[in-house]
Amino acid sequence: MPELPEVETFAANLRSGVGDQPSICGHTITAGEVLWPRTLALPEITEFERRLPGQAIVDIRRRGKYLVLQLSQDYLLIHLRMSGDLLLKQDESEPDLHTRLVISFEDGLRLAFNDPRKFGRVWLVSDPETVLAKLGPEPLDEEFTPQMLYGMLHRHRRQLKPLLLDQSFIAGLGNIYTDEALHMACLHPLVNSNDIAHGQTERLWVSIRRVLQEAIQVNGASIDWVYRGGGYQNNFRVYDRAGEPCLVCGTAVERIVVGQRGTHFCPNCQPAPD
DNA sequence: ACGAGCGCCTGTCGGC
DNA sequence: TGCCGACAGGCGCTCG
């Protein structure tokens, strides 16, 4: 579920607080508890539980789909993958069935990492680049320009959809926002990256950024039971709309499988490559 | 350098 | 009602 806009929302809420939920910045960790061992990617559980206590949360950022918690000494990185969720608890409630890892703070506050499918991962590292180095550029950064995207696209010969999903190409796009951006840019998901002209690159660049910025404005997209509080599902142009009319031209939205991922597009607005 | 296929996991939904 | 397969926001691995 969580792609760039949803992770950005988690980061903002933990950094600044939301509603009656306080910021966790400045709070000191008293314990880290791992309930599902595979959730912890690095380091070993014993070292994790030894190194965490005493460290304060200094800052919270996002890089791609990773949450980056800067601590006094180390960095705590969290990737929610398909079904991860973060809950800040102020009471003494028991961890629920899907709680995989819990961080406790000095004032009784606890941060619970819930993850039904157990795909999510947590790292405690001294240098975040050991985990993040492989990521491509941030699509919303100023340094990410249409000229840069053109060069990137032409350095590969790959289908657009799997290429945009590749986190070492661009960081943060997932299945929803890739389909949405391709539709907005009028580009078929199977078009070859090498065949994208300058004008099409400009459209794709604008579309990626617009889709992400508009989703961040409404706290991301809520689908099924996994992520709540977002509003972008009301703006879906093609994602999860197979058989329904394209909002631009009325043609039925199609669903195909590309790289083992469900892929939604308008066959009229996004003409197939030769 | 690609794409395809699979593994990791649990929950939900539609069809029969 | 119950069972069974398809499918789900991600990503790392192997194999041609």
Side-chain angles (χ1 to χ4, degrees), chain A residues 7 61-68 129 132 135-138 171:
Chain A
V7 179
R61 299 191 314 276
R62 176 195 59 74
R63 171 77 173 104
K65 301 176 196 171
Y66 291 82
L67 271 169
V68 181
E129 284 306 304
L132 305 176
L135 293 179
E138 283 290 324

Side-chain angles (χ1 to χ4, degrees), chain A residues 70 84 158 167 173 230:
Chain A
Q70 185 188 351
R158 291 181 65 181
Q167 300 300 296
L173 287 175

Side-chain angles (χ1 to χ4, degrees), chain A residues 51-271:
Chain A
R51 249 162 80 180
L52 213 43
Q55 299 206 48
I57 310 278
V58 174
D59 194 15
I60 298 167
R61 299 191 314 276
R62 176 195 59 74
R63 171 77 173 104
K65 301 176 196 171
Y66 291 82
L67 271 169
V68 181
L69 311 208
Q70 185 188 351
L71 311 181
S72 319
Q73 316 291 330
D74 293 314
Y75 287 83
L76 188 70
L77 308 186
I78 302 173
H79 198 305
L80 301 165
R81 292 276 181 97
M82 290 284 263
S83 62
D85 193 11
L86 289 169
L87 302 169
L88 199 56
K89 309 225 174 189
Q90 299 176 257
D91 54 24
E92 286 295 309
S93 59
E94 291 293 308
D96 81 42
L97 179 64
H98 301 307
T99 303
R100 310 301 179 197
L101 192 145
V102 181
I103 309 280
S104 300
F105 297 94
E106 83 285 352
D107 52 3
L109 212 58
R110 284 172 305 145
L111 182 65
F113 176 50
N114 283 17
D115 185 19
R117 293 182 69 179
K118 303 176 176 172
F119 290 163
R121 292 291 180 267
V122 173
W123 297 256
L124 179 67
V125 290
S126 53
D127 178 8
E129 284 306 304
T130 59
V131 179
L132 305 176
K134 297 181 295 185
L135 293 179
E138 283 290 324
L140 297 179
D141 270 6
E142 276 186 30
E143 303 90 79
F144 182 66
T145 62
Q147 293 72 25
M148 181 179 173
L149 179 58
Y150 185 85
M152 289 161 58
L153 289 168
H154 285 255
R155 227 169 284 136
H156 296 271
R157 183 157 59 238
R158 291 181 65 181
Q159 299 169 338
L160 269 187
K161 166 94 186 229
L163 184 58
L164 293 176
L165 285 176
D166 185 338
Q167 300 300 296
S168 69
F169 184 76
I170 292 178
L173 287 175
N175 209 35
I176 293 177
Y177 298 105
T178 298
D179 282 1
E180 295 298 297
L182 285 174
H183 180 266
M184 191 182 282
C186 299
L187 288 167
H188 192 282
L190 295 181
V191 165
N192 197 310
S193 63
N194 214 25
D195 295 335
I196 304 291
H198 281 287
Q200 295 174 311
T201 303
E202 176 85 24
R203 278 197 334 244
L204 180 59
W205 180 86
V206 168
S207 300
I208 289 171
R209 291 165 58 99
R210 228 180 92 193
V211 162
L212 293 175
Q213 280 161 343
E214 289 177 2
I216 290 171
Q217 289 298 311
V218 294
N219 299 324
S222 306
I223 306 184
D224 294 346
W225 77 103
V226 183
Y227 180 85
R228 284 164 230 83
Y232 199 72
Q233 68 280 2
N234 301 318
N235 297 33
F236 284 167
R237 306 161 65 92
V238 285
Y239 182 80
D240 206 22
R241 293 194 61 244
E244 297 175 40
C246 170
L247 301 176
V248 174
C249 75
T251 304
V253 170
E254 281 186 20
R255 179 187 182 278
I256 59 175
V257 175
V258 181
Q260 288 80 245
R261 310 301 300 276
T263 297
H264 314 76
F265 68 100
C266 168
N268 182 50
C269 295
Q270 300 165 267

